[in-house]
C-alpha cells in the first residue's frame, strides 16, 4: 500500500532475518566489504605520515587523500550504469578486483608516485563497490529488510573508526606500513567469496538494450577533476580562492547529469533525498575534520583525548542505526530523515557555540553524540528511500547518485572549509567561521528534508 506521502509500505515479509537462513552469508560478506573499504580509508589516514616520510612524498601527501575521492565518483557512475544494464554481479566482481589491485599497487609501491597511483585505482574500485552492493541489496533482500541491512552497513562503516587507527598503528609498528594495504587483500577476497552464492542468477534484471551512458561517464570524469582541483588549489597564495570558486562552478555543472533530474533544484521526492543526503554528509564531515583540531589547538588536549569526541559520535551513529533498523516501518522513512537532519544541525550548532563562546571542551563530546545519532538515523533511511523510489532499470543509477552525493558533498564542503580556514587563520577565528558555514549547510538540509516525501493527489491516492 502507498501512504499519502508517497511512501510504499508492504506487508511484513515472512523471510528470515538478515543474519539467518539464506541471507546469512550474503549479509556477512557484504558487510565485510563495506567494513574493509571504511577500514582502509581510516587506516591510511593514520599511517600516511609514516608513508610520506618513508617515500619522501610530502609534495603528494594531499593528493593521496583527494585522489581516491575523485576517482571514486567515476567508479560510482560506471558501476551504476553497468548494473542497470546487466545487473550487479559483474560490477561487484570487477570493483572488488580493482579495489584489491589498488591495494597491491599501494602496498608494494617503491615511490610516492606509485602509491598515489594505487590509491587512484583503490578509490575507483571502492566507489564502484558501494554502488554494486546497494543494487545487490535491492535485488536480494525483501523491502522490509532494507532498514536492517542498511543499519548493518552503517555499523560496518562506524566500527573501523573505533579500531582502524589502532590496528593500523600496531601493524605499522610491528611490521611496516606496507601491510596496512597488503593485509586487506586476502580479507577482501574472502569477503567476496561469501557473497558469490547469492549473486548467482542476479546477472539479469536490467535493461540490456539500453546504451552505455558514455556522456554520464564523461561528466563524472569532469566532476572528479573539478573536485580534485578544488582540493588542491585552495592554498595557492592570492589566486587560490578564485580558482576554488571556478572549480566549484565546474563541479556543480558536471555533477548535474550524475544525479536525478531536479536534484540541484530540490525537486520533491527522490531528487530531494539525494540532495539532502549530500548536504548532510558535507555538513557533518566538514565539521568533524576540525573537531579534533579545535580540541588540540585551543584546549591543548592530546590527540587521543581529542579523538574520543569522534569515538562518541561513531558509537552514537552505530546505536541510532541499530535502533532505526529494529523499528522498521513503525518509523517512516521520511520522518526518520527529518529527525536525523535536525539532530545533525543541533550537534553542529553546539560545536559552533563552543568555538564562538569558548565553552567547556566536554560539551563537544555531547554535541558530537547528538550529531552522530542524527547520521545514524538519516543515513540508512535515505538509502531505503532511494531504493523504494527506484525501479529495476534505474536502481544502479540512483544508487550511484546516492554515493556520488556522499563523496561529492563531502569533498566540496571539505575543500571550501579548507580554503576558508587557511584564509582566516591569521586574521580571525577560523574555527567559528568553518562551523558557521557547516551549520548553514545543515540548516539548508533541515529546510529541504520535508521535500523527500512525495505528495500524491486525491485521484492518485484513490487509484
Amino acid at each position: 500500500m502507498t501512504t499519502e506521502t508517497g511512501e510504499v509500505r508492504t506487508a511484513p515479509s515472512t523471510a528470515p532475518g538478515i543474519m539467518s537462513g539464506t541471507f546469512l552469508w550474503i549479509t556477512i560478506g557484504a558487510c565485510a566489504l563495506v567494513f574493509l573499504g571504511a577500514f582502509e580509508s581510516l587506516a591510511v589516514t593514520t599511517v600516511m605520515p609514516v608513508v610520506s616520510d618513508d617515500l619522501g612524498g610530502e609534495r603528494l601527501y594531499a593528493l593521496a587523500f583527494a585522489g581516491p575521492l575523485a576517482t571514486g565518483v567515476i567508479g560510482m557512475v560506471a558501476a551504476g550504469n553497468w548494473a542497470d544494464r546487466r545487473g550487479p554481479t559483474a560490477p561487484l566482481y570487477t570493483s572488488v578486483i580493482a579495489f584489491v589491485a589498488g591495494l597491491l599497487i599501494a602496498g608494494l609501491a617503491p615511490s610516492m608516485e606509485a602509491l598515489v597511483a594505487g590509491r587512484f585505482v583503490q578509490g575507483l574500485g571502492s566507489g564502484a563497490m558501494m554502488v554494486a552492493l546497494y543494487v545487490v541489496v535491492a535485488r536480494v533482500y525483501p523491502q522490509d529488510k532494507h532498514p536492517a541491512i542498511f543499519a548493518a552497513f552503517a555499523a560496518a562503516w562506524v566500527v573501523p573508526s573505533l579500531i582502524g587507527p589502532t590496528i593500523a598503528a600496531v601493524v605499522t609498528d610491528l611490521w611496516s606500513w606496507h601491510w596496512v594495504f597488503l593485509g586487506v587483500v586476502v580479507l577482501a577476497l574472502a569477503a567476496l567469496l561469501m557473497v558469490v552464492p547469492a549473486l548467482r542468477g542476479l546477472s539479469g534484471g536490467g535493461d540490456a538494450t539500453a546504451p552505455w551512458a558514455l556522456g554520464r561517464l564523461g561528466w563524472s570524469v569532469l566532476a572528479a577533476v573539478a573536485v580534485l582541483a578544488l582540493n588542491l588549489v585552495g592554498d595557492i597564495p592570492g589566486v587560490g580562492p578564485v580558482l576554488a570558486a571556478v572549480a566549484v562552478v565546474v563541479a556543480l555543472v558536471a555533477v548535474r547529469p550524475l544525479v536525478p533530474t531536479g536534484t540541484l533544484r530540490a525537486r520533491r521526492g527522490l531528487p530531494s533525498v539525494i540532495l539532502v543526503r549530500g548536504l548532510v554528509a558535507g555538513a557533518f564531515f566538514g565539521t568533524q575534520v576540525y573537531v579534533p583540531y579545535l580540541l588540540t589547538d585551543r584546549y591543548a588536549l592530546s590527540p587521543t583525548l581529542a579523538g574520543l569526541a569522534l569515538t562518541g559520535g561513531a558509537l552514537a551513529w552505530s546505536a541510532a542505526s541499530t535502533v532505526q533498523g529494529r523499528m522498521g516501518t513503525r518509523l517512516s522513512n521520511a520522518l526518520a530523515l527529518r529527525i536525523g537532519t535536525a539532530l545533525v544541525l543541533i550537534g553542529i550548532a553546539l560545536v559552533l557555540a563552543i568555538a564562538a563562546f569558548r565553552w567547556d571542551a566536554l560539551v563537544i563530546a555531547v554535541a558530537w553524540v547528538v550529531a552522530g545519532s542524527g547520521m545514524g538515523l538519516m543515513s540508512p533511511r535515505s538509502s531505503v528511500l532511494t531504493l523504494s523510489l527506484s525501479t529495476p532499470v534505474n536502481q544502479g543509477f540512483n544508487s550511484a547518485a546516492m554515493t556520488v552525493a556522499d563523496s561529492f558533498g563531502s569533498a566540496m564542503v571539505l575543500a571550501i572549509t579548507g580554503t576558508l580556514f587557511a584564509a582566516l587563520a591569521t586574521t580571525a577565528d577560523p574555527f567559528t567561521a568553518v562551523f558557521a558555514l557547516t551549520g548553514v549547510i545543515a540548516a539548508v538540509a533541515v529546510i529541504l528534508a520535508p521535500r523527500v516525501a512525495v505528495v500524491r493527489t486525491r485521484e492518485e491516492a484513490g487509484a
Side-chain angles (χ1 to χ4, degrees):
M1 125 179 159
T2 306
T3 66
E4 291 184 357
T5 61
E7 187 167 5
V8 177
R9 293 186 178 175
T10 59
S13 172
T14 58
I18 64 169
M19 293 300 293
S20 61
T22 57
F23 300 131
L24 177 61
W25 288 111
I26 179 67
T27 297
I28 295 175
C31 288
L33 289 172
V34 174
F35 174 90
L36 292 172
F39 171 83
E40 196 61 26
S41 175
L42 292 160
V44 169
T45 302
T46 302
V47 304
M48 190 56 70
V50 178
V51 175
S52 178
D53 182 65
D54 186 32
L55 299 179
E58 292 80 4
R59 180 176 56 87
L60 298 176
Y61 188 90
L63 191 60
F65 293 100
L69 191 64
T71 58
V73 173
I74 302 172
M76 294 167 191
V77 174
N81 187 203
W82 194 355
D84 282 340
R85 296 185 76 252
R86 298 290 185 179
T89 303
L92 184 58
Y93 288 156
T94 304
S95 63
V96 174
I97 291 172
F99 179 66
V100 168
L103 291 172
L104 289 172
I105 295 170
L108 299 173
S111 66
M112 193 66 173
E113 288 79 6
L115 183 133
V116 169
R119 294 280 287 155
F120 276 38
V121 177
Q122 182 185 336
L124 185 71
S126 181
M129 183 169 65
M130 287 305 303
V131 172
L133 284 174
Y134 282 133
V135 180
V136 168
V137 168
R139 304 288 176 87
V140 172
Y141 295 88
Q143 190 172 21
D144 68 324
K145 305 299 182 187
H146 289 179
I149 186 60
F150 283 124
F153 279 8
W157 268 103
V158 170
V159 172
S161 69
L162 307 178
I163 64 174
T166 301
I167 293 177
V170 170
V171 169
T172 301
D173 289 340
L174 292 180
W175 296 288
S176 78
W177 61 264
H178 297 274
W179 287 103
V180 173
F181 296 95
L182 298 177
V184 177
V185 170
V186 175
L187 298 177
L189 293 176
L192 181 62
L193 290 177
M194 295 180 191
V195 306
V196 167
L199 295 179
R200 292 170 184 159
L202 290 184
S203 57
D207 183 3
T209 63
W212 283 100
L214 298 179
R216 286 210 304 267
L217 287 172
W219 285 115
S220 71
V221 172
L222 180 60
V225 171
V227 168
L228 189 57
L230 187 56
N231 279 271
L232 296 176
V233 303
D235 295 333
I236 299 177
V239 298
V242 175
L243 294 176
V246 172
V248 168
V249 173
V250 173
L252 289 175
V253 170
V255 83
R256 286 184 62 189
L258 310 182
V259 293
T261 302
T263 295
L264 299 184
R265 300 193 306 273
R267 179 179 295 176
R268 186 174 289 278
L270 180 59
S272 287
V273 175
I274 301 299
L275 178 59
V276 169
R277 182 172 173 125
L279 290 171
V280 174
F284 181 85
F285 292 110
T287 303
Q288 180 171 267
V289 165
Y290 291 96
V291 165
Y293 194 176
L294 173 68
L295 292 174
T296 55
D297 181 73
R298 181 172 294 177
Y299 293 91
L301 296 182
S302 68
T304 300
L305 289 176
L308 289 177
L310 304 187
T311 299
L315 289 172
W317 187 331
S318 180
S321 296
T322 301
V323 169
Q324 68 79 32
R326 290 178 177 175
M327 293 186 70
T329 56
R330 288 177 293 169
L331 175 66
S332 74
N333 298 324
L335 180 59
L337 209 66
R338 294 172 66 177
I339 296 173
T341 54
L343 288 174
V344 172
L345 174 59
I346 292 171
I348 294 175
L350 285 172
V351 174
L352 171 61
I354 294 163
F357 304 115
R358 299 180 184 259
W359 290 354
D360 191 280
L362 183 61
V363 182
I364 287 187
V366 177
W368 219 236
V369 165
V370 174
S373 299
M375 290 298 291
L377 189 59
M378 69 79 53
S379 183
R381 289 309 181 97
S382 63
S383 301
V384 174
L385 263 175
T386 298
L387 291 185
S388 69
L389 295 172
S390 303
T391 64
V393 296
N394 65 13
Q395 286 168 346
F397 173 78
N398 291 339
S399 296
M402 183 169 53
T403 53
V404 165
D406 286 339
S407 293
F408 185 81
S410 298
M412 289 278 287
V413 174
L414 285 170
I416 294 171
T417 54
T419 301
L420 181 63
F421 192 93
L424 299 178
T426 58
T427 60
D429 180 2
F431 292 108
T432 299
V434 164
F435 298 145
L437 175 60
T438 56
V440 169
I441 294 170
V444 172
V446 170
I447 293 171
L448 296 178
R451 298 185 63 80
V452 303
V454 179
V455 177
R456 290 162 57 84
T457 66
R458 291 182 181 274
E459 291 77 9
E460 291 173 326

